Amino acid sequence: MYITMRHLFNRGFYKPMGVSGETLRQSLLQLRPEIYGSIAEEKVELDGLLYVIDRLPRGIEECSVINLTSDEGYSNSHFKPIIPEKRRRNCYRIDEEQMNIEITRGRSEIYDILTHLTFLFIESHKISKSALIDDIGNTTRDWGKLKNVVTSTKKLTQKEREVAITHAANILGRTFSEISKIYNEFAIPSQPERLLHIIYWLGKLAIEEQISNNKRAVKFSPVLREEIGHHIHGEIWADAIKNILHKNKLLNRPIHVISANMHSVMNTLFAPSALKSLTSKHDIFDVYKMLSNNTNTNLRTKVQNEAFKEGMLYIDDTSGANIDVQIFDTEKIDVSKLDIKVDEITLKSKKPVILVMDYAFGEQAYETIDELLKPFNHKEEKIYLNVESLSIMGKAGILEGGKGDIMIPSAHIFEGTADNYPFKNELKKEDLECKGVDVYEGAMITVLGTSLQNKDILRFFFESTWSVIGLEMEGAHYQKAIQAASKVRGSIREDVKVRYAYYASDNPLKTGSTLASGGLGTSGVRPTYLITRTILEQILN
């Protein structure tokens, strides 16, 4: 699949349901990735469809031309960006038939989109197969009824909705209760009957492909093909950060980089002082849970304001890398208000700077860290960064244990190769044990895409002498960049400390525990903050 996708990208375009897309379709059906559930069966896969739809732009099911582009200036046009709910990328609906998807995060993003689209098109043909009676375009009664509902502008009553779900169930090969259960998860305020719309449009375009041979196409813009792998966005992103560090006279101070989300470090440092009344009455982890609830915006704002008051710098990314950054100057933080262990004497003498970057995506991890660790060129002068540590915290699939458990890697292995990156992890199992969460230690595999894993592959990693404990998408890429900068290029100190820890978002070896079965909810709060607090304690001591 990986080789096929690279070939199609180099070719410049392909028709997913035509001859050019056949290898990709067959490979996906043969692989039967866990995340796509019943892709190889006749019935339509609902959980997989929801997972994919959340990661693709709204309205993509209506488009017969999907154009993958670089950042080519659409942000300065009249086109409004469409940002998928679960993936930060700019997409633009050019006209009724065409959707442009901006790729600024490297090849991993292309593989991600192509596998999702292939799944979508395979499912669409299951719908058309069920809807068509003959090869001249006559359709079933169920399809006619569904079409009437979708093309009508009338708001549906509960009775009408249930009648429509009954017709949809016949088309999808699913039960009424299966569709009813997932129906509202597809709904959005502007389109409460969105699932019916998605089914209709996927089926409509697939019927047109079969009857009139009007095949859907995926194209790659010439600029994208030329720019991919050239670190264009990563370089702009890293330069902006170094300029701000230089402007604020922080460039020569000891720097600790943390790759994490945009809330856990900030909340750990400032929630105790910003929410004093809450932290005095509740356990700190309960306060973190309140902060992770989307409805508590007032609490979040209080913490954020406290952070800005104590010198936090926020870099809203405009490079296209889609990675925002927070910078914390420990000299400006009142450490007496912290509820974690701090060595004040060392802290006052060293005055470290903590740089928190949002998650990278797959291969983008190499591009961003590789550029960030390069020396800063200022007027004729080369300024080397004093990077003391890099800490990577993220979500990963676990192969032993379950959702919410913690994994401490001792090495990263790159899938599809035997490339392996052993390292000395400053985080140890004993640092996080006995704190209400199970902790596992061992090698982890960096996969080409979460949507390409099936049980046979994962069982091989788990049961063979690789003894892999989990899978994620960035580890080997981060470590490759760190090793190059510290051991080969000499851009940063050779003894730079590294910390890796992941919390489990799912166990793909357990049926019903994959990413497609839903998010972590509040079960991810405890492991996230246990890892964050441990990383900060090590940095501040």
Side-chain angles (χ1 to χ4, degrees):
M1 284 194 73
Y2 175 63
I3 292 160
T4 303
M5 286 191 279
R6 290 191 87 135
H7 165 71
L8 294 172
F9 174 69
N10 292 335
R11 184 179 181 229
F13 80 99
Y14 79 105
K15 292 181 176 174
M17 298 313 283
V19 178
S20 50
E22 192 173 353
T23 313
L24 205 50
R25 289 198 315 274
Q26 293 311 320
S27 300
L28 200 65
L29 288 167
Q30 192 183 338
L31 190 64
R32 295 180 70 164
E34 210 51 35
I35 217 153
Y36 296 141
S38 56
I39 185 172
E41 295 170 29
E42 277 189 27
K43 60 184 178 186
V44 170
E45 166 58 34
L46 294 173
D47 287 327
L49 183 62
L50 179 63
Y51 180 85
V52 165
I53 283 292
D54 279 348
R55 283 156 181 79
L56 290 171
R58 195 177 301 162
I60 194 152
E61 69 280 357
E62 300 174 12
C63 298
S64 56
V65 177
I66 292 150
N67 201 10
L68 272 56
T69 72
S70 180
D71 180 358
E72 296 176 21
Y74 291 104
S75 55
N76 304 320
S77 67
H78 76 280
F79 297 114
K80 275 183 80 105
I82 306 167
I83 299 164
E85 195 188 330
K86 301 276 175 76
R87 283 276 189 271
R88 284 166 305 163
R89 53 170 80 106
N90 289 335
C91 308
Y92 301 93
R93 184 78 181 259
I94 304 302
D95 54 35
E96 282 179 15
E97 293 169 349
Q98 185 177 331
M99 179 73 77
N100 279 15
I101 302 177
E102 242 174 46
I103 305 290
T104 56
R105 307 178 81 170
R107 287 190 188 91
S108 299
E109 196 168 18
I110 295 173
Y111 306 145
D112 188 57
I113 290 166
L114 293 190
T115 46
H116 288 346
L117 288 175
T118 306
F119 164 80
L120 210 57
F121 295 149
I122 289 171
E123 295 303 304
S124 75
H125 272 245
K126 288 184 194 174
I127 296 167
S128 70
K129 194 177 166 191
S130 173
L132 280 170
I133 295 171
D134 53 34
D135 52 10
I136 57 165
N138 290 318
T139 52
T140 61
R141 177 176 175 271
D142 288 313
W143 183 256
K145 295 285 184 187
L146 179 70
K147 182 183 177 179
N148 293 342
V149 169
V150 171
T151 51
S152 160
T153 50
K154 205 175 96 190
K155 196 171 178 238
L156 295 188
T157 63
Q158 182 62 21
K159 186 185 170 186
E160 287 166 336
R161 184 176 296 115
E162 287 181 357
V163 170
I165 289 173
T166 305
H167 294 304
N170 288 341
I171 294 163
L172 303 182
R174 289 285 183 177
T175 64
F176 176 83
S177 65
E178 281 173 325
I179 296 178
S180 301
K181 207 156 72 182
I182 205 166
Y183 195 83
N184 287 333
E185 291 185 51
F186 282 89
I188 50 173
S190 60
Q191 213 178 18
E193 322 301 339
R194 187 167 169 233
L195 178 58
L196 299 178
H197 283 258
I198 290 166
I199 295 164
Y200 171 70
W201 278 98
L202 284 176
K204 181 180 187 290
L205 294 184
I207 288 168
E208 282 173 19
E209 280 187 331
Q210 283 175 279
I211 303 304
S212 359
N213 208 22
N214 184 14
K215 296 263 189 279
R216 286 168 284 190
V218 174
K219 298 177 179 181
F220 307 94
S221 80
V223 178
L224 175 67
R225 286 159 66 206
E226 188 185 313
E227 284 185 357
I228 205 82
H230 285 204
H231 291 202
I232 287 162
H233 303 285
E235 190 178 352
I236 300 165
W237 174 83
D239 284 346
I241 294 165
K242 289 177 222 175
N243 273 310
I244 285 174
L245 287 169
H246 186 263
K247 202 170 93 184
N248 289 277
K249 300 186 172 50
L250 301 172
L251 204 55
N252 296 313
R253 301 253 293 272
I255 295 168
H256 296 269
V257 179
I258 302 176
S259 170
N261 50 56
M262 287 282 99
H263 55 260
S264 58
V265 173
M266 180 177 72
N267 290 346
T268 304
L269 291 173
F270 303 110
S273 53
L275 308 172
K276 227 182 274 170
S277 57
L278 274 177
T279 51
S280 60
K281 291 181 208 151
H282 299 274
D283 176 67
I284 192 66
F285 286 94
D286 290 332
V287 176
Y288 296 148
K289 268 184 192 169
M290 292 176 205
L291 283 164
S292 71
N293 188 331
N294 290 336
T295 55
N296 290 329
T297 43
N298 58 327
L299 297 182
R300 292 176 175 192
T301 308
K302 276 184 188 172
V303 177
Q304 201 170 28
N305 291 343
E306 181 79 8
F308 283 125
K309 206 169 79 189
E310 300 219 9
M312 177 180 87
L313 299 169
Y314 189 88
I315 306 171
D316 195 1
D317 179 48
T318 53
S319 69
N322 274 317
I323 298 176
D324 296 339
V325 170
Q326 294 162 332
I327 297 167
F328 302 95
D329 179 357
T330 56
E331 195 180 20
K332 292 181 179 172
I333 296 171
D334 184 351
V335 291
S336 65
K337 291 178 181 172
L338 298 180
D339 68 341
I340 53 176
K341 203 169 67 185
V342 179
D343 178 350
E344 288 192 48
I345 299 159
T346 314
L347 202 63
K348 275 181 183 148
S349 64
K350 289 193 122 183
K351 298 183 244 176
V353 171
I354 298 169
L355 190 155
V356 182
M357 58 181 277
D358 211 341
Y359 299 123
F361 186 73
E363 272 186 38
Q364 189 194 28
Y366 176 76
E367 176 178 338
T368 47
I369 294 293
D370 184 54
E371 292 297 333
L372 184 64
L373 301 183
K374 283 179 183 174
F376 177 55
N377 296 314
H378 180 66
K379 293 173 176 171
E380 306 298 302
E381 190 193 355
K382 232 184 201 182
I383 305 169
Y384 286 85
L385 274 68
N386 180 12
V387 178
E388 287 203 348
S389 77
L390 288 111
S391 305
I392 316 296
M393 174 181 91
K395 268 195 301 200
I398 196 166
L399 301 180
E400 188 181 351
K403 278 189 182 187
D405 292 346
I406 290 174
M407 289 158 277
I408 307 284
S410 52
H412 288 296
I413 303 150
F414 191 39
E415 182 186 29
T417 68
D419 295 358
N420 53 82
Y421 301 88
F423 48 84
K424 180 181 180 285
N425 195 341
E426 294 296 316
L427 292 171
K428 300 278 173 283
K429 190 177 178 180
E430 48 270 29
D431 296 334
L432 293 143
E433 264 182 327
C434 309
K435 293 185 180 172
V437 171
D438 286 341
V439 184
Y440 298 88
E441 208 166 17
M444 287 186 72
I445 188 127
T446 298
V447 296
L448 293 161
T450 48
S451 50
L452 292 176
Q453 307 313 309
N454 72 8
K455 281 202 173 121
D456 296 335
I457 294 172
L458 297 173
R459 207 167 275 122
F460 164 73
F461 291 136
F462 183 49
E463 291 170 2
S464 70
T465 50
W466 287 113
S467 303
V468 166
I469 58 163
L471 60 143
E472 46 74 58
M473 279 183 68
E474 292 80 28
H477 303 298
Y478 278 126
Q479 192 55 27
K480 183 164 65 167
I482 295 165
Q483 263 174 230
S486 60
K487 305 275 195 290
V488 184
R489 288 169 149 169
S491 307
I492 57 168
R493 60 205 295 164
E494 200 176 334
D495 62 347
V496 66
K497 288 179 162 65
V498 292
R499 300 179 191 91
Y500 288 92
Y502 298 92
Y503 55 94
S505 55
D506 63 304
N507 182 335
L509 282 178
K510 286 185 187 170
T511 303
S513 296
T514 68
L515 279 174
S517 68
L520 265 167
T522 53
S523 62
V525 173
R526 190 169 190 86
T528 303
Y529 283 93
L530 277 176
I531 295 167
T532 307
R533 289 169 74 90
T534 310
I535 288 171
L536 286 173
E537 276 182 10
Q538 290 195 1
I539 290 170
L540 301 176
N541 290 282

